[in-house]
Amino acid sequence: MAFTHRAHMTQRLAIGIDLGGTHCRAGAVDAEGAIVAQRLCEVGRNRSVDAIVQLVVSLVDELQAELATGDRRPATAVGIGVPGIVEWSEGLVHKAPHFPEWDRVPLAALLRDRLGVPVAIDNDANVVALGELWQGAARELTHCCVLTFGTGIGGALVIDRQVFRGDAGFAGEVGHFTIQFDGPPCACGSAGCWELYASATGMRQLIASSNDPAKAAFLQLFDGNLDRVQPAQILALARDGNIFASTLWKKFGAYCGAGIASLVNITGLHHVVIGGGLSGAWEYFIGETERAIARRTYRATADRIRLHRATLGQSAGIIGAARLMRCLSA
Amino acid sequence: MAFTHRAHMTQRLAIGIDLGGTHCRAGAVDAEGAIVAQRLCEVGRNRSVDAIVQLVVSLVDELQAELATGDRRPATAVGIGVPGIVEWSEGLVHKAPHFPEWDRVPLAALLRDRLGVPVAIDNDANVVALGELWQGAARELTHCCVLTFGTGIGGALVIDRQVFRGDAGFAGEVGHFTIQFDGPPCACGSAGCWELYASATGMRQLIASSNDPAKAAFLQLFDGNLDRVQPAQILALARDGNIFASTLWKKFGAYCGAGIASLVNITGLHHVVIGGGLSGAWEYFIGETERAIARRTYRATADRIRLHRATLGQSAGIIGAARLMRCLSA
């Protein structure tokens, strides 16, 4: 027992932070990828750079205090996943839709100054991919594409077990490939982006444009307010046998599959890891996804595609962000 | 002069073959990437495996005879670019739309048996990329995407100066990503594929669906026969000031740009090399292509994208196919 205690004390820890549009999750992660302490807090209305830096600093301080209480050494590095366009090598956030004021924010440097430890930042989807590669569904995959379906779509390309970043670190902006040339405008400035269809936003859009007679009864369950419809509730209704809800998941599955087929045709990556909140409805959409992929790829390709369900859930961001510093052993 | 002659005699040559749907080009290529002898022949109606193998064998025999006459050593390897789904590592052609009877044809082995030299095969677009990397527009690029716009769209992803092949060699089937989810069926089995829009086929489709009053006068130039409209003629008309023809190129440019923006968003590759027959109309479409890219990518991405016009023209396939064997020096 004394020996275990000593191992505790000497093991190197990193803090991983998953900064989202509504919540921020933080955890201290050990060299085996286990979360030994964690915190969750809401992201408030003040989304200025200062406010978010302060939020992160508080979470790190709380975690370090908890580690000290548990007789552990303090974490020696911090990694953060940010939902936006991140220039990884420079530690720069170019643009982050949830933080509209941000413009070329040197987030890594700002946090390094406040925290006094090395800080690395990356796009949130890349961080999820690092987590799934290290401890999750991609542990044994050499190449793969990691996708997260939530409010929007996140994506990362993994080649030879490394996240491929392209020329400037922006690879994997898969949510914004054009899947409907004459489709509606997207907040990104483009139109007909994949994430307007295969996402929570897309599911609400599918309801809005539906002329199924069952739509009225479905919407009544939400007091007629489309904005209140969340994927978790559509899933609960589908489980209860609501046909309109099941049909929505099938439509989501078809868009999901058309996009995955496109990604596979372009990248030649045959293993696709699917995570994010919407992946919880797996059995309600995956059949349509597979059918769409079979239709939209050559048979030689379709036969090789393997869809993997992400296994780390909401911990993926914390574990992957901690992994970012590469200060922990593999 | 005697020295030069001797250098001729000892230089190692490879034969590169660019097998297309209508023509087959073959050339003997030296270690510096220069074509020292070449042949062009039509691909006849008989498109059986035997007929094509015989065609290639004849072209190689003719080239070897010409090399012998010129006191050169015979070529020691043959590389071939094939328009279709090619499993490079196995030398296997899975499917080739121009050769409908073909099904998992071990083309490399069949030719090796007949020719008695090492034979490598690859997808035609990959071969063009190898040519442009070695001797053309991609000579100084580390990563890039190489696209050919012709009857359809060919594509290759180049990462660290290597053609990235994905898990089974099928990466870069860019013509078949879905750009219009509810679009018309494609010969590949999918629907709304990019190559139904940004290609020679797509341009004819644009004419067919146009309700511009100038369409009738335009079609009269082709005896009212849409099938007779070729990109080269649309280009000649645009040069002559025909507004309908110029508008067609602008529409092509917009589809071209929407697709390139999608590829860049997904892959993060910022350098795009554009070749193929339609690239001859560069100045008539590239403005619209750039506008579409600016609209459909984030500014941080758009600012970094560079479009390069391919420089090898119809020689790219021969030079790249010869390069395939890696038996020539860089």
Side-chain angles (χ1 to χ4, degrees), chain A:
Chain A
M1 289 306 253
F3 179 77
T4 308
H5 188 245
R6 190 166 296 273
H8 256 190
M9 286 184 63
T10 57
Q11 197 175 39
R12 294 186 68 185
L13 298 169
I15 288 172
I17 294 173
D18 176 14
L19 175 61
T22 52
H23 291 91
C24 185
R25 290 166 205 282
V29 179
D30 72 14
E32 275 80 46
I35 299 175
V36 300
Q38 66 179 307
R39 287 287 182 283
L40 168 70
C41 72
E42 282 192 11
V43 176
R45 288 211 175 164
N46 181 350
R47 286 162 183 244
S48 66
V49 177
D50 283 352
I52 300 299
V53 166
Q54 187 50 50
L55 180 88
V56 171
V57 169
S58 304
L59 285 170
V60 171
D61 287 348
E62 284 179 38
L63 284 171
Q64 297 283 37
E66 182 175 335
L67 294 175
T69 311
D71 265 351
R72 290 179 186 267
R73 292 171 61 185
T76 54
V78 173
I80 308 183
V82 180
I85 302 282
V86 178
E87 196 157 348
W88 178 76
S89 56
E90 307 286 324
L92 204 65
V93 181
H94 276 273
K95 214 179 145 83
H98 292 295
F99 308 102
E101 297 167 35
W102 294 24
D103 182 31
R104 293 180 60 81
V105 174
L107 187 64
L110 291 172
L111 284 167
R112 197 152 44 223
D113 289 348
R114 291 287 300 276
L115 296 169
V117 295
V119 176
I121 67 172
D122 203 347
N123 169 274
D124 54 352
N126 286 352
V127 157
V128 166
L130 287 172
E132 293 289 341
L133 268 173
W134 188 21
Q135 298 294 330
R139 269 168 95 152
E140 306 198 340
L141 303 177
T142 307
H143 311 311
C144 65
C145 182
V146 179
L147 302 173
T148 58
F149 295 90
T151 310
I153 305 175
L157 311 181
V158 173
I159 298 176
D160 287 327
R161 296 196 59 74
Q162 306 287 322
V163 172
F164 180 72
R165 296 165 194 282
D167 285 295
F170 311 154
E173 280 299 322
V174 301
H176 299 285
F177 92 80
T178 303
I179 200 168
Q180 181 76 16
F181 183 81
D182 59 9
C186 178
C188 79
S190 183
C193 294
W194 187 28
E195 79 170 34
L196 295 177
Y197 301 88
S199 65
T201 314
M203 292 189 85
R204 280 190 286 272
Q205 201 47 51
L206 283 172
I207 298 168
S209 63
S210 166
N211 43 26
D212 183 330
K215 171 175 155 181
F218 177 86
L219 272 179
Q220 284 239 304
L221 301 169
F222 302 91
D223 299 326
N225 188 341
L226 185 60
D227 291 338
R228 292 202 191 149
V229 183
Q230 296 296 328
Q233 298 162 310
I234 308 175
L235 176 55
L237 285 166
R239 286 196 171 126
D240 281 353
N242 184 303
I243 304 293
F244 188 81
S246 302
T247 306
L248 281 175
W249 284 114
K250 285 182 184 161
K251 287 183 183 167
F252 164 77
Y255 280 109
C256 186
I260 291 174
S262 296
L263 294 183
V264 173
N265 279 333
I266 291 168
T267 64
L269 301 173
H270 292 160
H271 291 277
V272 181
V273 175
I274 299 175
L278 274 64
S279 67
W282 189 265
E283 57 273 30
Y284 291 91
F285 69 82
I286 205 69
E288 282 304 316
T289 301
E290 287 168 344
R291 263 186 287 282
I293 291 171
R295 179 184 171 210
R296 291 180 187 262
T297 55
Y298 285 111
R299 170 128 185 250
T301 305
D303 287 350
R304 287 173 164 85
I305 295 175
R306 296 290 175 272
L307 305 180
H308 306 262
R309 190 170 175 171
T311 59
L312 298 183
Q314 293 184 323
S315 302
I318 293 174
I319 296 172
R323 181 71 173 150
L324 203 51
M325 284 305 300
R326 296 175 180 279
C327 61
L328 301 173
S329 61

